[in-house]
Amino acid sequence: MRRLPVFVLLFATLTACGQSGDKACPAIALSPGISLDIPREVAAGLERVSLELCWAGDCVTGSAPGGEQVFVPIQGLPTTPIKTTVTFDDRKPHFLVVTPAIAYPAGEECGGGVPVAKLVVTPGGDVRQEP
């Protein structure tokens, strides 16, 4: 009989510890790729955004319809520096080096991380990476 209170106390402690640190992870996902924030004045009339990304001797291209928020999915995106060319409708290339980072849709403890990078277009049309 004396062991029963000790067992109950131990069981309660283990159960409480297991539940206090648990996090409910939603069933959401991210896609690997590059997002661009484009100011309204630059996005007005912009029909297409095209990207060329080169790493490890290979290049991939992708494009998406223009707008203020653009996302170009890129499979196999590394987390190392990538030579990137961004082209808008004016066909003027914008060159920069982009380094994607792993992002998690609901926090690192829920997993599902994928490489992504965020680019920002200035009102003057320059392109830079935002951390």
Side-chain angles (χ1 to χ4, degrees):
M1 267 321 217
R2 292 176 48 180
R3 291 185 183 169
L4 183 60
V6 172
F7 175 74
V8 171
L9 180 60
L10 179 62
F11 181 75
T13 303
L14 291 174
T15 304
C17 289
Q19 290 181 356
S20 66
D22 288 349
K23 177 181 177 181
C25 294
I28 59 174
L30 290 175
S31 292
I34 308 289
S35 65
L36 292 96
D37 286 348
I38 304 173
R40 180 173 289 142
E41 60 271 19
V42 176
L46 180 62
E47 291 186 25
R48 199 124 202 102
V49 175
S50 298
L51 297 176
E52 180 181 60
L53 302 121
C54 299
W55 70 89
D58 290 321
C59 295
V60 297
T61 60
S63 65
E68 292 180 43
Q69 303 294 315
V70 175
F71 181 76
V72 180
I74 305 290
Q75 294 299 318
L77 198 60
T79 55
T80 57
I82 300 169
K83 293 179 184 178
T84 304
T85 306
V86 180
T87 308
F88 302 114
D89 294 340
D90 64 3
R91 312 292 286 164
K92 176 185 170 194
H94 301 269
F95 302 103
L96 66 155
V97 175
V98 173
T99 304
I102 300 295
Y104 299 89
E108 191 171 348
E109 60 278 1
C110 287
V114 297
V116 297
K118 181 178 181 178
L119 303 182
V120 175
V121 180
T122 67
D126 292 325
V127 182
R128 62 178 168 79
Q129 183 173 3
E130 186 172 278

